Amino acid sequence: MVPEKEKVLPLSNSLATIEQLSTSSSSLDGLPSDLEASIRYAGLQITQAAGILLELSQDIVVQAMVLFTRFYLGPEGGSFRVNSAKDISAASIYMAAKLSADPQSPRAVCNVFAYLISKPVRKTFPIPPTDDPESYYLSEGAYHSARSVLLQTEIIILRTLGFDVKVIVPHHLALTYLQTLGVLPSTPSSVSRALAARTLGYLNLALFSPQLLYLTNQPTALAVAAIYLASREVGAKLPGIEWWEIFDVEREDLGFLVVAFRSCEAWMKAEKEKWLNQSCPLTVEEVDRAIQNI
């Protein structure tokens, strides 16, 4: 996803264009839109799970999830029929960690993904299965092969994104905004704790949105929408004025995001029920078989 030529503000990300949102490389390759959305969701799940197993910070995991989503955006982006969701997920985690103060070795990333894509895990994901090391053991030869794929995929992502790997995460912004609004004091109360936790929860939820909220809205708007919803849910009192305008967010944009945030949970629940008795395809071969069975 190549950034637009116009000046990019320090707290802004490159956003998707109308063309990128209307057509994807996967759809041009004959992948049904509902299956594409399911694979994207499964890829994001495994990316998040890998970040947790690698004990990465929330910032790194969010950046990796955004990079994963960006890669498959638009007709010039990657395709699930050409670029394995598993491989792109692993390379996204590897890249995001490499750009941070907590880089991960290729071996660590390969081991984690070998575990995550093993059949016992995928059938019960995200619930931990009974430990069965033989199902995810990575031999020395298999590791070198996986490492080669990981490094090659990293290059593919960089070229596809035009080396635009900058991701401003809205989570810290949201906490700063809560302090600015005077609802997150230095000595937090039970309400302020609940407000902060629910705000971050909404931001994490939005990462899985089928509307690609992180690619269509700036982090400032995402932070404001999460605060708005969380404050209503926990009963926190915010200023009576139109406080979102302080952070350069219009009422119309806020309204759209509120509706979009609220729809995420129901959509995710439907996806989990849809794939309850089977594994969503995460490799090119699995995607091809899934299309043949439609």
Side-chain angles (χ1 to χ4, degrees):
M1 184 171 135
V2 181
E4 297 178 1
K5 292 183 179 180
E6 63 185 34
K7 183 178 179 181
V8 179
L9 299 177
L11 294 180
S12 66
N13 292 321
S14 297
L15 299 182
T17 64
I18 295 177
E19 180 188 9
Q20 289 174 323
L21 294 171
S22 60
T23 307
S24 69
S25 183
S26 296
S27 64
L28 293 176
D29 285 339
L31 187 67
S33 58
D34 58 338
L35 182 55
E36 180 181 1
S38 293
I39 298 171
R40 183 186 298 110
Y41 174 57
L44 289 169
Q45 276 192 308
I46 201 172
T47 305
Q48 184 184 60
I52 294 172
L53 291 177
L54 289 167
E55 299 182 346
L56 297 174
S57 68
Q58 186 177 53
D59 276 7
I60 298 174
V61 177
V62 172
Q63 289 172 31
M65 294 173 73
V66 173
L67 291 176
F68 175 88
T69 309
R70 277 184 186 174
F71 176 78
Y72 290 104
L73 185 69
E76 302 299 324
S79 169
F80 288 119
R81 299 203 68 178
V82 178
N83 311 103
S84 164
K86 170 188 71 70
D87 293 339
I88 299 301
S89 173
S92 296
I93 278 284
Y94 179 68
M95 286 174 54
K98 180 189 284 189
L99 297 171
S100 73
D102 189 18
Q104 298 293 308
S105 68
R107 184 177 290 275
V109 175
C110 291
N111 283 339
V112 163
F113 274 85
Y115 171 75
L116 286 173
I117 65 169
S118 63
K119 290 183 178 180
V121 175
R122 292 183 62 181
K123 287 181 178 178
T124 57
F125 186 81
I127 303 171
T130 302
D131 194 31
D132 180 17
E134 291 186 0
S135 68
Y136 54 86
Y137 171 72
L138 201 61
S139 67
E140 194 64 19
Y143 161 66
H144 285 292
S145 177
R147 180 182 182 275
S148 177
V149 171
L150 176 67
L151 299 181
Q152 289 174 7
T153 305
E154 179 188 16
I155 296 173
I156 292 173
I157 294 177
L158 288 171
R159 288 176 177 172
T160 302
L161 299 184
F163 291 84
D164 177 21
V165 293
K166 172 192 171 188
V167 179
I168 301 298
V169 177
H171 296 61
H172 290 303
L173 285 177
L175 296 178
T176 300
Y177 291 174
L178 288 172
Q179 292 175 328
T180 302
L181 294 169
V183 290
L184 192 61
S186 55
T187 304
S189 63
S190 58
V191 173
S192 64
R193 287 195 187 94
L195 175 60
R198 198 66 191 103
T199 297
L200 297 180
Y202 272 117
L203 290 174
N204 290 334
L205 193 69
L207 285 162
F208 299 98
S209 169
Q211 297 162 307
L212 310 183
L213 296 180
Y214 273 70
L215 304 190
T216 55
N217 297 272
Q218 293 296 355
T220 50
L222 294 171
V224 166
I227 291 172
Y228 181 89
L229 280 171
S231 64
R232 294 203 162 199
E233 187 172 310
V234 305
K237 188 176 181 181
L238 297 179
I241 59 172
E242 296 184 342
W243 55 269
W244 48 86
E245 293 185 352
I246 300 174
F247 307 112
D248 294 325
V249 177
E250 300 292 334
R251 177 186 289 273
E252 292 77 11
D253 295 333
L254 175 59
F256 166 78
L257 282 171
V258 165
V259 174
F261 272 45
R262 284 175 171 167
S263 66
C264 283
E265 197 164 358
W267 182 82
M268 291 170 61
K269 182 179 179 181
E271 280 296 305
K272 290 178 181 178
E273 293 175 353
K274 178 180 178 181
W275 298 97
L276 186 62
N277 298 316
Q278 57 184 321
S279 297
C280 184
L282 286 172
T283 66
V284 172
E285 295 76 17
E286 290 173 350
V287 171
D288 288 342
R289 286 196 296 268
I291 292 177
Q292 292 173 3
N293 294 330
I294 294 178

